Amino acid sequence: MSLPWAATAALLLAVLAAGLLAPARTATVRTDTLGPDHGEAVAGYLARAQASVESATGEPRWGLVSFTAPVPVERAAALPGDPRIAQVLFRVPIERVQTPLVAVAVPAHREALLRAPAVAAGRLRQAGGTDRAARVAAVSADRLADGCACVVGVVVRVAPAAASELAAAPGVRAVELLPADAVAGAFSVNPLLPEHIDVVAPGPDDGEP
């Protein structure tokens, strides 16, 4: 049985009014960042990262571990202080070639962490782009599949009390902690790469992959 036209019009107006009055959904705002800013002095970032560790107290926090040189995933898995590694950042070193950074999220068990290089290699084999980009991705994928020392950083969940031990570990260049209220998935990550010596900026890209 159809509604009288007056009732139908009133229902339509009510639906339109509800749509106008309902608040619009807002996207998640990412205000936290782990890692240096583009163009930042390396010495300034290292001091900032150290201060974040020294001032942290209380509950575990999200943090970024950056390495002095790329390490194999087994080395990352053996970090002291038992940090919960949530993401592994891979970048295959090729002289004078800008290679892609591949971030692989991992659940909380060692087997998944050790499989992360294969996951990164699989992603690179599916990458598109120019002929040069495809060659760089293919070489990077092959080296990752072979178990190269290609981990440049890891995102961790770690207690502030253990962060100092982590920062002092051999091969660790910097540990940076986020504020205690930082939420997983709501912060960006930009690792301090081993080739960043003075300023955080891209290096040359005129070599052959």
Side-chain angles (χ1 to χ4, degrees):
M1 181 177 180
S2 61
L3 292 171
W5 71 269
T8 302
L11 179 60
L12 178 60
L13 288 173
V15 170
L16 289 174
L20 291 173
L21 295 174
R25 291 184 179 180
T26 57
T28 300
V29 178
R30 293 178 178 236
T31 57
D32 291 317
T33 302
L34 280 170
D37 298 324
H38 179 73
E40 183 175 6
V42 171
Y45 171 70
L46 293 175
R48 181 159 61 85
Q50 182 178 354
S52 75
V53 172
E54 292 176 348
S55 62
T57 58
E59 296 300 315
R61 301 182 180 209
W62 293 106
L64 171 66
V65 179
S66 296
F67 295 103
T68 304
V71 300
V73 71
E74 293 83 1
R75 176 80 173 275
L79 284 170
D82 195 28
R84 154 72 171 104
I85 296 178
Q87 189 179 63
V88 189
L89 306 170
F90 294 98
R91 190 171 184 271
V92 176
I94 302 177
E95 186 175 1
R96 300 189 70 85
V97 175
Q98 290 296 302
T99 54
L101 180 72
V102 185
V104 177
V106 291
H109 55 82
R110 180 181 173 85
E111 291 75 15
L113 177 58
L114 296 181
R115 287 197 301 269
V119 174
R123 290 182 185 174
L124 287 174
R125 290 194 174 109
Q126 298 174 1
T130 64
D131 288 343
R132 177 180 172 80
R135 292 199 308 273
V136 170
V139 171
S140 296
D142 288 345
R143 294 187 184 179
L144 283 165
D146 288 341
C148 65
C150 295
V151 178
V152 294
V154 288
V155 176
V156 298
R157 183 77 171 169
V158 64
S164 294
E165 178 187 4
L166 186 56
V172 171
R173 189 179 185 191
V175 175
E176 180 190 4
L177 298 181
L178 283 177
D181 60 354
V183 178
F187 55 84
S188 59
V189 181
N190 179 39
L192 178 66
L193 298 177
E195 60 263 34
H196 291 156
I197 304 300
D198 298 316
V199 176
V200 177
D205 190 28
D206 54 7
E208 284 299 319

